[in-house]
Amino acid sequence: MALSAQQIPRWFNSAKLRSLINAAQLTKCFTRPGRTLLHGFSAQPQISSDNCFLQWGFKTYKTSSLWNSSQSTSSSSQENNSTQSSLLPSMNEQSQKTQKIPSFDSELFLEELDELPPLSPMQPISEEEAIQIIADPPLPPASFTLRDYVDHSETLQKLVLLGVDLSKIEKHTEAANLLLRLDFEKDIKQMLLFLKDVGIEDNQLGAFLTKNHAIFSEDLENLKIRVAYLLSKNFSKADVAQMVRKAPFLLNFSVERLDNRLGFFQKELELSVKKTRDLVVRLPRLLTGSLEPVKENMKVYRLELGFKHNEIQHMITRIPKMLTANKRKLTETFDFVHNVMSIPHHIIVKFPQVFNTRLFKIKERHLFLTYLGRAQYDPAKPNYISLDKLVSIPDEIFCEEIAKASVQDFDKFLKTL
């Protein structure tokens, strides 16, 4: 019966393997004088004995019709050999005349077995073999959360132990896919050692990597070059550590970008090198954020609020956040302090923290002092109240030392507003 096209490759592999084993068995029984078996295949049919059988070797197998024709050829050949069997010597005589097969023939058989192609994945196996197969649980084909991959990924497991919040990273598809491709030993371990050397503590690594997961896509050598640049600009190692902690994306920017930013603030604000360095150490996001708010606020201070250049310099070196503060908040705070409380520019310059205070807090305390008749902000007059004390001290001290009233009175007054 002809084999189907799907069965031919599977049959050929098994037939070839049987041929090799049988040929090896034949060499132990007998060989023809002056002939050896090559690569486990015989050139002609061998005569069988009690422990040996007729075996025909095949070089190729193409179609089932060739197999059928080979079967008929084998039958006729077997008949001819049977008629001539009387002319052949006995097996004992033949074995005596035959030379011993070299030992390398058996090695060739083993090599040929090693070179056999692997079994097809469609090859049927027994139940016992199937039970012995140990397979890892399959990865989910697609997921919207990294939680489904944690059990399969050593990298994700160790990041979780470090305190990384995967729920925040998975909101960024590219970052989540990157983490799934990374190997902890090859791609992450050296990065962690670098960050610790920069000054990020063990208990800070989780929060840092949660915010700046993009650092894994940066080249480690480039990161080291950027740290070396900051150190060359006389930033201390403690300064660099503080800057990286406050602005996690700092090291993601090139040396050219960092250099341009430092040059901008030194030129635009006309600051000395030391004051520029102190400014960015206190507010390192000046090096990473957009320059548009900075430029806009500089115009607001000069054109809308009427401060002089040296006054702006003094305020921003005291309160660097004034460079990135919301424009509307700046104008509303200045309007209330200058126009309602009647505090002039030169006093505001001395206490710039007023721009870093919530406006409703300034209003509540000013209105309460006005109600008590104690709203006096002129330093040349008695009972002077400075802006610093007005906005910086807690309610208990404000009521006791400034308003000369109880906290309950202050709370009752606020309910009337």
Side-chain angles (χ1 to χ4, degrees), residues 9 21 38-39 47-48 69 112 128 149-150 207 232 234 252 289 320:
I21 298 173
L38 179 63
H39 299 296
I47 299 175
S48 61
S69 63
E112 193 66 40
E128 291 77 7
Y149 298 92
V150 171
S232 71
N234 293 326
N252 293 41

Side-chain angles (χ1 to χ4, degrees), residues 125-142:
I125 59 176
S126 64
E127 293 185 3
E128 291 77 7
E129 293 173 326
I131 293 174
Q132 296 176 359
I133 296 176
I134 301 176
D136 294 329
L139 286 171

Side-chain angles (χ1 to χ4, degrees), residues 54-106:
L54 181 66
Q55 177 64 36
W56 192 275
F58 291 93
K59 294 293 184 182
T60 59
Y61 182 84
K62 296 182 179 179
T63 62
S64 60
S65 60
L66 288 177
W67 166 243
N68 294 332
S69 63
S70 298
Q71 281 186 319
S72 61
T73 304
S74 177
S75 301
S76 61
S77 177
Q78 187 173 2
E79 292 175 359
N80 294 335
N81 287 331
S82 64
T83 58
Q84 297 177 4
S85 60
S86 59
L87 300 177
L88 295 174
S90 63
M91 289 299 300
N92 293 333
E93 296 175 355
Q94 175 123 359
S95 61
Q96 294 174 359
K97 295 179 182 179
T98 303
Q99 298 178 356
K100 186 177 180 180
I101 297 177
S103 61
F104 65 82
D105 282 350
S106 59

Side-chain angles (χ1 to χ4, degrees), residues 17 20-21 108-116:
L17 181 59
L20 290 170
I21 298 173
L108 291 175
F109 296 142
L110 294 177
E111 290 179 2
E112 193 66 40
L113 288 173
D114 292 338
E115 294 175 359
L116 282 175

Side-chain angles (χ1 to χ4, degrees), residues 331-345 348:
T331 55
E332 289 181 349
T333 300
F334 177 81
D335 180 66
F336 185 83
V337 173
H338 182 67
N339 297 323
V340 176
M341 298 174 63
S342 301
I343 299 179
H345 283 77
I348 296 176

Side-chain angles (χ1 to χ4, degrees), residues 306-417:
F307 289 101
K308 299 176 182 178
H309 186 74
N310 63 330
E311 292 176 333
I312 298 174
Q313 282 182 326
H314 176 79
M315 289 191 296
I316 63 175
T317 52
R318 292 278 303 277
I319 310 293
K321 287 184 179 180
M322 290 180 62
L323 286 171
T324 58
N326 180 270
K327 176 184 174 181
R328 180 179 176 180
K329 178 186 176 182
L330 289 176
T331 55
E332 289 181 349
T333 300
F334 177 81
D335 180 66
F336 185 83
V337 173
H338 182 67
N339 297 323
V340 176
M341 298 174 63
S342 301
I343 299 179
H345 283 77
H346 69 276
I347 293 182
I348 296 176
V349 170
K350 291 181 180 180
F351 305 102
Q353 57 267 34
V354 70
F355 289 106
N356 201 32
T357 307
R358 294 179 180 180
L359 180 57
F360 76 87
K361 182 177 182 179
I362 300 174
K363 287 183 176 181
E364 289 175 351
R365 293 188 175 186
H366 168 71
L367 293 176
F368 185 57
L369 292 175
T370 302
Y371 172 76
L372 297 175
R374 304 184 63 86
Q376 205 289 95
Y377 308 111
D378 186 352
K381 297 180 180 180
N383 300 322
Y384 164 68
I385 298 175
S386 69
L387 281 179
D388 182 28
K389 291 184 177 180
L390 179 69
V391 300
S392 61
I393 59 179
D395 286 345
E396 294 77 7
I397 299 177
F398 165 76
C399 292
E400 181 181 352
E401 297 184 2
I402 306 298
K404 307 298 183 180
S406 65
V407 176
Q408 291 75 14
D409 293 337
F410 184 45
D411 291 336
K412 289 179 181 179
F413 173 79
L414 294 179
K415 292 178 182 179
T416 62
L417 296 179

Side-chain angles (χ1 to χ4, degrees), residues 118-285:
L119 294 177
S120 168
M122 302 303 294
Q123 182 76 21
I125 59 176
S126 64
E127 293 185 3
E128 291 77 7
E129 293 173 326
I131 293 174
Q132 296 176 359
I133 296 176
I134 301 176
D136 294 329
L139 286 171
S143 178
F144 294 100
T145 175
L146 288 174
R147 180 178 55 192
D148 295 335
Y149 298 92
V150 171
D151 292 338
H152 310 277
S153 172
E154 179 189 8
T155 298
L156 295 183
Q157 293 171 10
K158 291 187 175 180
L159 289 177
V160 170
L161 292 177
L162 286 173
V164 177
D165 190 347
L166 298 182
S167 65
K168 293 183 179 180
I169 297 179
E170 67 190 17
K171 296 177 182 178
H172 308 276
T173 305
E174 293 183 1
N177 289 332
L178 175 63
L179 288 185
L180 291 176
R181 295 193 300 267
L182 293 179
D183 180 85
F184 187 86
E185 294 295 328
K186 290 169 52 180
D187 305 315
I188 296 182
K189 186 175 181 179
Q190 293 302 318
M191 184 70 71
L192 296 179
L193 294 175
F194 165 75
L195 292 175
K196 290 185 66 174
D197 185 63
V198 169
I200 306 298
E201 301 296 336
D202 290 347
N203 59 353
Q204 298 170 334
L205 284 172
F208 179 89
L209 295 176
T210 300
K211 292 181 180 179
N212 186 16
H213 43 76
I215 198 171
F216 291 124
S217 62
E218 294 287 334
D219 183 76
L220 184 58
E221 292 303 317
N222 289 337
L223 297 177
K224 293 179 179 179
I225 291 173
R226 293 160 194 171
V227 172
Y229 166 78
L230 293 174
L231 295 175
S232 71
K233 294 297 181 181
N234 293 326
F235 289 94
S236 67
K237 200 166 183 182
D239 291 338
V240 174
Q242 179 179 332
M243 292 165 67
V244 172
R245 285 193 294 266
K246 289 185 176 181
F249 293 97
L250 178 65
L251 296 181
N252 293 41
F253 295 95
S254 66
V255 169
E256 293 77 14
R257 163 97 177 234
L258 296 176
D259 190 67
N260 289 336
R261 285 300 179 89
L262 289 173
F264 169 81
F265 289 109
Q266 184 177 356
K267 180 180 178 181
E268 183 73 16
L269 304 178
E270 298 181 6
L271 298 175
S272 65
V273 174
K274 183 180 183 305
K275 287 187 176 181
T276 303
R277 187 166 53 243
D278 294 341
L279 179 70
V280 297
V281 168
R282 295 178 63 190
L283 191 65
R285 70 167 182 262

